[in-house]
Amino acid sequence: MRMSQIAHAIIVATLLAAAFAISALAAEEVPYDALPFDIEVVANMEEPWALAVLDEERLLITEKPGSLKLVSANGEVSEIKGLPEVAYGGQGGLGDIALSPDFEETGRVYLSYAEEEDNKRGAVVATAILQLSDEGGRLTDFEVLWRQSPKVSGRGHYGHRIAFGPEGKLWISSGERQKFDPAQDMDGNLGKIIRLNPDGSIPQDNPFYERGGVTAEIWSLGHRNPLGLAFDGSDQLWVVEMGPAHGDELNLVLRGENYGYPTVSNGNHYNGKEIPHHDTRPEFEAPKVYWVPAISPSSLMFYDGDVFADWQGDAFIGGMSFPGLVRIEFDGEDAREAARYSMDARIRDIAQAADGTLWVIEDERGSSKGRLLRLSPMS
């Protein structure tokens, strides 16, 4: 091959890679009146934040003020008792919920929430046993497994999403609490992705285990406000993060890597001060997709059902400043935005139902009504 042909091939490959990385800028936006699914309103909630599917007929929904609800597929809502007091306000309150991998045998669930001590706040992850009844149910044997450290003032950027990995490890996203520098501080666990054993102990093969303390919990660092955490079908962990003023990110989470915040970002500070872009500091891991302008991501899930067969292997991100769902396609370690579905509401969380349809909860703010929705193929 001639040198000119080699150069041409390199240029083409580089342009294709760049187009893949920033394809969010050119994704199709589907308006509300042309959505490729039917929307059924199932129930009305109070500031719903997260959901977990129990079985074909029931799911659990957290409400940020501090309630956990059992909701049936026909919209019946009942209370789960035994919840702790939460530090409600701002972005804080009751957060995520996840079923243990052995839930069917043990009834164990995991919850995140904000707590307050001496006028400072931080996220907590706890576990409990869910005992269901005709009236709803109760949490028993409640145990706190993890806390953000240090607690700080303010009511934002908790992150506190929960996921279980292929080896049964407990993964937690920890926001930097709007304090910037803690995302790079290895003496704390703010602005980090955390990896623990299901009982809260620290795996000895964590990348910083030998340093001890909270540092041993850390899997990756340099994150801002990681609000979506999920594994794909190849057991790769992905996180979606709110950027500052724009620059939201979808990152592939790699062992021991630094994602650069607040040293680099593809957005700027809210006061207009510029932040160097990722391409200026190649020692930091760059996002696979970023958004300018922002979509304000709330959540992340991967789809593997049959009902929407064309979407198998894709991920969905809940959008808030973009009021709807964002669909992502993948090619190994690369990702691109495929489409946006405008739903005229801030989407807080999304999960796959047992039959392959989609459960979605709206945020309760402005025109968003806090509803539980079910998305099904067009009738």
Side-chain angles (χ1 to χ4, degrees):
M1 182 181 289
R2 296 178 179 178
M3 289 301 296
S4 59
Q5 292 175 308
I6 295 173
H8 177 74
I10 292 173
I11 292 170
V12 170
T14 301
L15 290 174
L16 286 173
F20 203 80
I22 63 171
S23 59
L25 300 177
E28 172 192 9
E29 182 171 331
V30 181
Y32 187 85
D33 59 2
L35 293 175
F37 43 75
D38 288 330
I39 301 175
E40 175 191 2
V41 178
V42 177
N44 293 294
M45 313 303 297
E46 182 183 0
E47 293 188 64
W49 205 90
L51 55 85
V53 177
L54 285 176
D55 51 35
E56 292 83 352
E57 295 297 327
R58 298 174 300 177
L59 59 157
L60 298 168
I61 297 179
T62 64
E63 295 178 324
K64 198 168 74 168
S67 298
L68 176 62
K69 298 296 175 60
L70 177 68
V71 185
S72 69
N74 62 8
E76 296 178 359
V77 180
S78 53
E79 186 89 16
I80 303 294
K81 299 180 179 179
L83 274 291
E85 181 180 354
V86 305
Y88 171 64
Q91 296 176 17
L94 187 58
D96 207 3
I97 183 165
L99 307 184
S100 171
D102 62 359
F103 174 79
E104 291 187 4
E105 293 78 35
T106 65
R108 184 169 297 279
V109 298
Y110 289 75
L111 294 158
S112 69
Y113 57 95
E115 68 173 6
E116 183 172 349
E117 182 179 1
D118 298 329
N119 295 318
K120 295 183 178 181
R121 297 184 175 204
V124 170
V125 170
T127 186
I129 302 299
L130 175 63
Q131 297 181 340
L132 296 174
S133 67
D134 293 339
E135 292 77 30
R138 174 174 292 276
L139 296 180
T140 65
D141 302 310
F142 200 89
E143 179 185 6
V144 171
L145 301 180
W146 175 84
R147 285 184 163 94
Q148 279 184 329
S149 177
K151 284 185 171 62
V152 297
S153 61
R155 300 183 177 191
H157 293 196
Y158 295 94
H160 66 18
R161 284 288 184 186
I162 306 168
F164 281 96
E167 299 176 350
K169 301 301 185 188
L170 170 63
W171 298 80
I172 304 165
S173 70
S174 178
E176 45 72 72
R177 299 298 323 284
Q178 293 178 299
K179 303 301 180 183
F180 307 105
D181 295 338
Q184 295 295 325
D185 182 0
M186 293 298 285
D187 292 326
N189 58 24
L190 306 183
K192 314 297 194 301
I193 301 299
I194 305 300
R195 179 178 181 255
L196 302 174
N197 293 315
D199 63 0
S201 61
I202 302 174
Q204 295 185 16
D205 59 343
N206 273 8
F208 308 106
Y209 180 81
E210 297 302 325
R211 300 193 192 184
V214 296
T215 308
E217 307 170 353
I218 297 169
W219 187 260
S220 62
L221 62 146
H223 301 279
R224 185 177 183 268
N225 191 16
L227 284 169
L229 190 68
F231 283 87
D232 67 17
S234 300
D235 295 336
Q236 298 181 122
L237 181 61
W238 296 81
V239 63
V240 65
E241 311 181 31
M242 274 197 185
H246 309 303
D248 300 333
E249 299 182 2
L250 176 67
N251 286 303
L252 175 62
V253 180
L254 301 174
R255 184 181 193 273
E257 292 296 335
N258 188 335
Y259 291 79
Y261 191 77
T263 307
V264 292
S265 172
N266 290 338
N268 293 326
H269 291 297
Y270 286 105
N271 63 7
K273 183 179 179 181
E274 292 186 357
I275 306 173
H277 279 209
H278 275 274
D279 58 11
T280 68
R281 297 289 297 271
E283 69 270 30
F284 296 121
E285 278 293 315
K288 299 299 183 179
V289 182
Y290 66 89
W291 286 270
V292 178
I295 60 169
S296 303
S298 66
S299 50
L300 175 69
M301 64 84 66
F302 284 85
Y303 183 80
D304 63 3
D306 296 325
V307 170
F308 298 105
D310 291 344
W311 297 344
Q312 285 183 354
D314 293 356
F316 287 91
I317 295 171
M320 294 191 289
S321 59
F322 168 73
L325 296 175
V326 177
R327 182 166 60 85
I328 306 295
E329 293 180 342
F330 295 84
D331 182 8
E333 294 186 355
D334 292 316
R336 69 180 184 89
E337 181 180 330
R340 299 185 182 195
Y341 305 107
S342 179
M343 297 178 65
D344 294 339
R346 293 161 54 93
I347 302 302
R348 178 55 72 177
D349 200 10
I350 178 170
Q352 183 175 316
D355 64 358
T357 57
L358 295 171
W359 288 113
V360 172
I361 48 174
E362 300 174 339
D363 197 21
E364 189 176 3
R365 175 178 167 182
S367 62
S368 302
K369 301 175 182 178
R371 302 175 300 178
L372 170 66
L373 309 174
R374 191 161 196 165
L375 312 185
S376 305
M378 296 293 291
S379 56

